[in-house]
Amino acid sequence: MKSKIILVLIGLFCTCFSWSQKITLQSPNQKIVAALYAMDGTNKGEWYLKVSYSANKNTSEILPKVSLGLSRSDQDFSKELLFLKAGKPKIIKEQYSLPFGKKSVRENTANEVTISFENPSKAKMNLIVRAYNDGLTFRYEFPEKKGSYSIKDEFTAYQIPKESMRWLEKWNPANEGLYVASSEDKILQQEWCYPDLFNSADKSTWFLLHEADLDRNYCGTKLSNTQDINTYKLAFPDPKDGRGTGESNPSISLPWQSPWRVIAIGSLSDIVESTLVEDVSTPNSFKSTDWIKPGKVSWNYWSSNHGTKDYKIVCDFTDLAAKMNWPYTLLDWEWDGMTNGGNLEDALKYIHSKGIKPLMWYNSGGDHTWVSSTPKDRMLTHENRVEEFTKLKKLGVAGVKIDFFESEKQNMIKYYLDILEDAAQFEMMVYFHGCIVPRGWSRTYPNLMTYEGVRGAEWYNNGPEFTTTAPEHNTVLPFTRNVVGAMDYTPVTFTNSQFPHLTSFGHELALSVLFESPLQHLADRPEGYYELPDEAKTFLKEVPTAWDNTKLIDGYPGQEVTMARQKGESWYIGSINASERQEKTKKIKLDFLKEGVNYRAVIIADGKHDKDFNSNVMVVNKTSTIEVKLLRRGGFVVSLNPIQE
């Protein structure tokens, strides 16, 4: 179908609009351009965006067609839409801070425009588009003041040039699959989880598809290319999700806005360092966030699936947290059946006596899950939660882990947000498990510390597959899942659980830097940490879980990744190698360090074999380069602390 340019969006210097005039929407740095088109012929009145990116004086058309529109229960907003007007261009400029994440202070600037349409029934729909330096976002709006409807379908769809490389995870309600890399000769057709990573046909540009600012007025979506192999259309939840509870199609009341559709765009470092998903999400209204404290957590489930049922094991992991200077220990499932020398009250008393704060697990409950593990249903209603949070506050519990959501239907989105709001009233931190992947909620509800939503170390308990897939998988996650928000992989294990790992000790240690999670549950048994060399043990005592800055130094998904993160005046580097066959040597320039300052660099790298370390100390500065060897499936860390003169 031949297309005709009708309007191209935003120019801050534009004073008028006409059908023959080209008006551009550009990001503030002028690298990202979005253009609005209308179809000709039988598809007249259907609109779509075209997205291009300029890098190194070359312009790539990364998305030749982003289809637009919605179908509401009363009428359609995807065909025969008449352009009414484009509002006055608006500059978005924000600075905000969060108590955790890849950056403590966030700054962003965007150009925004609202484009108004009318369907044949004279009903109005707006398209709000923003161009940031690191991506493009858009959302739909029904501005009329009255009416309640359901959304029958959303027609947002991303046409991907067939030559583009892609990294996608097959849809599963727990978001715990492996990412599959595919090119034009082996593209699969199915439904896909968010987020989705693509490399443009000319290899110059990367982009990542996601959604943000999802609230009670919609459901979570996913992407599907089942109808067209190179077109990824938004799809609503499967009716069977959550044991068939809840409606797949969301219900809305006017006025209404959809979640933001997010396209992070740029170099691979732009993608990894982006905070776009949180930038477009609703700011928090908390009076104080002083009670929100990131930190490391000792966790007994990985090494002993029934660990919390055993009072002595709980005490052992409490002692681990105390000896490693970690602030938290998690009481996972079966704490209500604890025996072998003590019960829950005894355990909490012991935990507090060691200066550690307890976190506690809950089944999400309700008919949406088959899992009967107790305690069940205590988080299910507002009344249940108030009663339970009141008890937990008196018991000195700092936060809750809530498990088994199994759906992204609108009823479950409401449930997630209700939990967060009620927990905040009791200054209670929250960790979601068996759950959705981040949608920017940590900005709105900063008591949401982390999510699972990843195939993590727990999968070493589920079968032999993860033993062989983990090395590559670990190098994909920093470019995909962890880009959009906190990810509790439960990393850094040196002993084996039910199935062994092939990653080196250096590789495992590096995950403490590469994987970002404000509550970082370190999964190994106590002796796995006690038997480490002093340098590695000290590193795990000191490495932060919340960061002031993040830099991708080098990497490629599925092959390797090297990342530096800053906390205060100190920097930490983590690097891993996925290769089963090839050792690597990395040369890292330290030009991100502060000018005129010398740093004590402690390098903890692979030794002679997978279970050996090679550590050394040197003085470095901004002009220095360090060279480190990685074994197959290997890795290393570096801590860089300024030397006080």
Side-chain angles (χ1 to χ4, degrees), residues 216 286 291 379 385 389 400 402 413-432 441-442 444-451:
R216 293 177 176 85
F286 286 20
W291 53 275
M379 294 291 145
R385 292 189 292 273
F389 288 147
V400 292
I402 306 175
I413 303 305
K414 291 179 179 178
Y415 185 28
Y416 279 116
L417 301 183
D418 289 346
I419 289 172
L420 291 170
E421 290 189 356
D422 286 344
Q425 298 305 308
F426 291 85
E427 297 190 346
M428 194 71 58
M429 297 185 294
V430 177
Y431 162 26
F432 289 135
W441 293 344
S442 55
T444 314
Y445 305 99
N447 60 323
L448 173 53
M449 303 301 289
T450 193
Y451 313 64

Side-chain angles (χ1 to χ4, degrees), residues 260 289 401 413 553:
W260 287 102
T289 59
K401 171 183 176 179
I413 303 305
I553 294 176

Side-chain angles (χ1 to χ4, degrees), residues 297-298 314 318 321 326-332 344-345 347-353 355-361 392-401 428-429 519 521:
V297 189
S298 67
V314 170
T318 301
W326 302 342
Y328 303 106
T329 191
L330 174 67
L331 302 180
D332 217 298
L344 174 65
E345 289 72 22
L348 292 174
K349 189 174 181 179
Y350 185 83
I351 291 167
H352 287 303
S353 76
I356 303 301
K357 297 177 183 178
L359 310 171
M360 289 174 58
W361 177 95
L392 295 179
K393 195 70 176 176
K394 291 179 180 177
L395 291 171
V397 175
V400 292
K401 171 183 176 179
M428 194 71 58
M429 297 185 294
L519 288 180
H521 292 72

Side-chain angles (χ1 to χ4, degrees), residues 623-636:
T623 65
S624 301
T625 298
I626 58 175
E627 184 173 310
V628 190
K629 179 181 176 181
L630 296 83
L631 295 177
R632 296 171 299 156
R633 307 175 303 276
F636 68 87

Side-chain angles (χ1 to χ4, degrees), residues 39-139:
M39 298 294 288
D40 277 342
T42 57
N43 292 339
K44 186 176 181 180
E46 294 184 25
W47 297 80
Y48 66 94
L49 293 170
K50 182 179 290 189
V51 183
S52 59
Y53 181 79
S54 298
N56 301 321
K57 299 183 180 180
N58 294 319
T59 298
S60 302
E61 188 176 88
I62 59 170
L63 287 166
K65 184 178 181 183
V66 181
S67 300
L68 302 169
L70 297 161
S71 176
R72 215 165 66 184
S73 54
D74 61 324
Q75 53 192 307
D76 184 79
F77 293 86
S78 65
K79 300 180 178 67
E80 301 182 76
L81 288 178
L82 175 66
F83 167 80
L84 296 179
K85 64 177 181 177
K88 185 178 179 180
K90 178 181 176 182
I91 298 175
I92 304 295
K93 193 167 187 177
E94 285 188 310
Q95 183 182 87
Y96 66 96
S97 60
L98 287 177
F100 49 71
K102 64 179 81 171
K103 295 178 183 177
S104 56
V105 177
R106 318 290 180 85
E107 294 181 346
N108 63 79
T109 305
N111 297 326
E112 179 188 279
V113 73
T114 299
I115 303 97
S116 299
F117 299 96
E118 181 180 83
N119 73 4
S121 300
K122 306 297 183 183
K124 307 295 190 295
M125 183 187 79
N126 294 335
L127 178 70
I128 304 169
V129 186
R130 289 183 183 178
Y132 290 84
N133 287 339
D134 58 347
L136 187 80
T137 70
F138 62 93
R139 75 189 326 171

